[in-house]
Amino acid sequence: MPQPAPPSRRQALATGLLGATAALTASAALASPAGAARVDRSRGVRARARAVLRRMSLEEKVGQLFVVEVYGRSADEPAAGNRALYGVDTPAEVIAKYLPGGVIYFDARRGPDNVSDPRLTARLSNGLQRAARTRGARVPLLISVDQEGGSVVYRLTEPATLLPGNMALAAGRSAADTRRSAEILARELAALGITQNYAPVADVNVNPANPVIGVRSFGSDPGLCAELTAASVRGHHRGGTASAAKHFPGHGDTDTDSHTGLPRIDHTREELDRIDLPPFRAAVAAGVDTIMTAHIVVPSLDPSGVPATMSHPIVTGLLREELGFDGLIVTDALDMRGAAGQFPPDVAPVRALQAGCDQLVLAPETDTAHGAVLAAVRGGEIPLSRLDASVERILVHKIRRGLLAHPYVDEERAVRAVGSARHRADAQAITDRTVTLVRNHGGLLPLSPAARSVLVTGWGTETTRTLADAVADRPGQTATVLETAAVPADSLIAAAVSAAADHDAVLVSVNAAAAGSEQGAAQAALVRALTDTGRPVVALAVRNPYDIRRFPGVPAYLATYSYGAPSLRAAVRALYGDLSPTGKLPVTIPTLDATGTLHPFGHGLTY
């Protein structure tokens, strides 16, 4: 496994100054009248939270710990998924049964189908809040979602504004663009009644083989990741949605996906301090609302072998006490293999709470999990004071977000805000600044405006179609589509080579991450075969920029870090010189055998 490069002197100084700057800022704030007023407001918020806490039953307190999913686009719409998971029919009945502290929305790919239409999503949010406000202690819900930007982890699609993901933003090297991107995303979520976004990803991706983070990260440089994590937190706040830095203490150097297994991070404590922790420290200094734990084993922090989510030394010792984080700590989804594979449904939630987590996301077998926590409190396995501490933090969070006073949203405003013309224009401009030209042998790019036919081939039915449409929209250009799948068969490679002979140029999209365990070898064979035709070939990496490791001799190589339509439109404009690519690699691309560097961090060509 390639070892992460040490940070530059500038990066080390910037990282080292984060803690000192935060401490000085805090001291100055407390010494000022405004700072004293903030302290007074904080005390007032906590007093209100404790007043609510005192009138809650034990069952209501335990309910606040759980974040559940619900099926359907209406609070009163029966759905088979709710019956299968919870034994009731409608989302409102799920809320009534468990009195949960939060709900997490998903799209139809997982099944719940909560976010297909802005008006319906806002209406669902209002309906769920009404259900929560009319039962038990009448505490509003935290409604959350995983909307990271980019084209890997997202729930809302059009008409929502499509924004660049983290690695694309890091290629743009602009904290202002990162902040604005998060602000747009947050404003649209807030309009829908979604009050908590599980973003930004704060992991430092130092492993090119990482199967679960990759472009979700701001890159491989701790200083850059720290700067942009803080910018994203501030953008979320400006847009009116709570932020959540994840996945603590850092998921960036693994070749195992915690959805399907239990990753192990073998960084020393010194490496963790130098590589993994700076973005989380920066998030805390920026006032991040929530930090999400990772289902990863980190022996240098806890030699017991339990995942970080269930580790008291990591959650309480490191995050709560050493880093001084006093906000919400939430688990990553407890139905993931990294948690569920080692801890059954009646054990995982108890262990996570004992470690110091406040909210339990997607605990499997909710009846069992809920009953196990109740029994643990009643039996003294979880002290009542420990439960109260978490519930108080949840209530403080909800009060600070204004939920107790204003839990509902305007459905008409949601329709106007989501995908507004201004948001789309800003998103495209930000995306244009992220395109990275990695290789341009012989000055192949930009293509001249002369009439030509272009073969658009490679990965992705929608991707190749969108690229071809963008090419064909240009004067004098024609485009032919030949999609070859994630693992192109020899016959498809031969067909692409034959088609290339009848075209003036070839644009081939690559996405090795889509190929699974095959790791993009067949896609690379396609690119090499096309290059051997002698036709001008441009490879477009529409996810991880590392794909060029398997075909380093391709004449031209562009990275967009995303296959969203704004990224593909920007790539075609760069292809023809309408925009000069200005992105810089936010990672180092090593050679395939990992013995050297193919393209260094910060590399990026332009016209």
Side-chain angles (χ1 to χ4, degrees):
M1 184 180 297
Q3 294 298 309
S8 68
R9 176 177 171 81
R10 177 191 63 79
Q11 296 156 7
L13 286 172
T15 300
L17 285 172
L18 282 170
T21 302
L24 288 171
T25 301
S27 298
L30 290 173
S32 69
R38 282 194 294 272
V39 171
D40 288 342
R41 284 196 298 272
S42 179
R43 289 173 179 162
V45 167
R46 292 191 180 278
R48 289 181 63 197
R50 288 169 184 158
V52 175
L53 183 65
R54 282 193 294 270
R55 67 173 186 260
M56 295 177 75
S57 69
L58 177 59
E59 291 78 6
E60 290 164 357
K61 292 177 183 179
V62 169
Q64 287 296 304
L65 306 175
F66 286 84
V67 178
V68 301
E69 62 183 322
V70 294
Y71 280 69
R73 294 179 286 178
S74 166
D76 300 314
E77 175 187 339
N82 296 320
R83 172 61 60 179
L85 284 178
Y86 308 117
V88 297
D89 292 317
T90 70
E93 290 170 339
V94 176
I95 304 306
K97 180 174 181 178
Y98 299 105
L99 301 176
V103 169
I104 180 169
Y105 283 167
F106 287 99
D107 57 6
R109 289 174 299 172
R110 179 176 170 107
D113 193 19
N114 307 133
V115 291
S116 59
D117 175 86
R119 188 188 305 278
L120 294 179
T121 301
R123 188 172 298 164
L124 173 63
S125 297
N126 287 338
L128 294 177
Q129 294 292 17
R130 277 192 293 272
R133 294 275 286 174
T134 56
R135 293 170 176 86
R138 302 182 179 183
V139 177
L141 296 160
L142 278 178
I143 299 178
S144 57
V145 74
D146 290 292
Q147 187 76 358
E148 296 175 3
S151 51
V152 179
V153 176
Y154 60 92
R155 310 299 178 220
L156 282 71
T157 56
E158 290 186 334
T161 302
L162 304 181
L163 291 149
N166 281 1
M167 195 171 284
L169 290 166
R173 292 298 198 277
S174 170
D177 280 354
T178 301
R179 185 172 58 248
R180 176 58 178 159
S181 183
E183 180 186 1
I184 292 170
L185 193 156
R187 287 192 185 282
E188 297 195 3
L189 295 182
L192 297 170
I194 298 171
T195 58
Q196 169 81 75
N197 190 20
Y198 290 142
V201 171
D203 305 313
V204 182
N205 198 82
V206 294
N207 188 344
N210 194 322
V212 65
I213 303 301
V215 293
R216 299 169 64 194
S217 163
F218 285 114
S220 62
D221 180 90
L224 180 62
C225 290
E227 178 187 10
L228 298 187
T229 295
S232 181
V233 168
R234 295 186 180 104
H236 275 88
H237 291 169
R238 186 177 292 184
T241 300
S243 55
K246 61 185 186 184
H247 308 80
F248 188 84
H251 208 315
D253 190 6
T254 177
D255 54 11
T256 300
D257 184 345
S258 52
H259 292 85
T260 58
L262 181 58
R264 176 186 171 106
I265 305 292
D266 284 317
H267 286 186
T268 65
R269 179 57 202 261
E270 183 277 331
E271 288 173 324
L272 288 161
D273 282 329
R274 177 167 53 87
I275 300 167
D276 302 280
L277 294 179
F280 292 101
R281 294 185 187 275
V284 172
V288 70
D289 308 88
T290 305
I291 291 180
M292 178 180 283
T293 62
H295 305 322
I296 56 175
V297 172
V298 189
S300 64
L301 296 177
D302 185 347
S304 71
V306 301
T309 298
M310 284 77 175
S311 169
H312 191 275
I314 294 175
V315 177
T316 297
L318 178 58
L319 179 53
R320 191 68 80 191
E321 296 174 355
E322 186 175 334
L323 269 63
F325 178 63
D326 64 356
L328 275 185
I329 300 176
V330 305
T331 70
D332 205 344
L334 291 175
D335 61 358
M336 292 164 58
R337 187 68 180 170
Q342 189 173 354
F343 298 95
D346 62 333
V347 176
V350 174
R351 291 292 299 270
L353 290 167
Q354 290 172 329
C357 296
D358 298 312
Q359 282 200 306
L360 310 166
V361 180
L362 295 176
E365 298 184 24
T366 308
D367 285 346
T368 299
H370 195 275
V373 174
L374 272 173
V377 177
R378 287 171 175 153
E381 195 177 350
I382 296 175
L384 183 59
S385 60
R386 170 70 193 86
L387 172 65
D388 284 351
S390 280
V391 177
E392 182 180 322
R393 275 191 286 268
I394 294 165
L395 294 172
V396 164
H397 179 97
K398 292 180 177 183
I399 293 167
R400 285 178 173 163
R401 301 308 310 171
L403 277 171
L404 266 65
H406 304 288
Y408 305 113
V409 293
D410 183 334
E411 295 171 16
E412 294 301 325
R413 181 179 177 277
V415 174
R416 295 193 301 271
V418 174
S420 72
R422 181 182 177 187
H423 287 178
R424 288 173 178 262
D426 284 357
Q428 188 64 64
I430 292 169
T431 301
D432 289 351
R433 294 189 280 271
T434 68
V435 177
T436 307
L437 179 58
V438 178
R439 181 170 165 82
N440 192 20
H441 183 68
L444 172 61
L445 300 181
L447 297 177
S448 73
R452 67 171 56 77
S453 61
V454 180
L455 173 65
V456 180
T457 187
W459 174 84
T461 302
E462 187 172 351
T463 297
T464 50
R465 180 75 265 167
T466 300
L467 288 168
D469 288 346
V471 169
D473 282 345
R474 305 184 64 86
Q477 307 298 299
T478 61
T480 303
V481 176
L482 178 59
E483 196 267 336
T484 55
V487 183
D490 290 344
S491 58
L492 276 174
I493 293 175
V497 167
S498 176
D502 298 325
H503 291 78
D504 300 310
V506 178
L507 176 59
V508 52
S509 65
V510 292
N511 180 1
S517 60
E518 193 263 0
Q519 298 181 337
Q523 291 183 43
L526 169 67
V527 175
R528 291 193 299 267
L530 290 168
T531 300
D532 289 344
T533 66
R535 286 288 189 265
V537 174
V538 180
L540 179 64
V542 296
R543 185 166 167 179
N544 292 328
Y546 306 110
D547 291 0
I548 193 175
R549 300 168 73 196
R550 288 186 177 273
F551 44 87
V554 67
Y557 184 76
L558 284 160
T560 60
Y561 316 94
S562 168
Y563 45 86
S567 297
L568 300 180
R569 288 194 294 265
V572 171
R573 292 174 60 219
L575 193 70
Y576 287 91
D578 293 350
L579 70 84
S580 182
T582 57
K584 305 295 181 185
L585 282 175
V587 294
T588 294
I589 301 178
T591 56
L592 188 60
D593 62 7
T595 60
T597 296
L598 185 63
H599 296 288
F601 173 90
H603 169 75
L605 305 174
T606 191
Y607 307 143

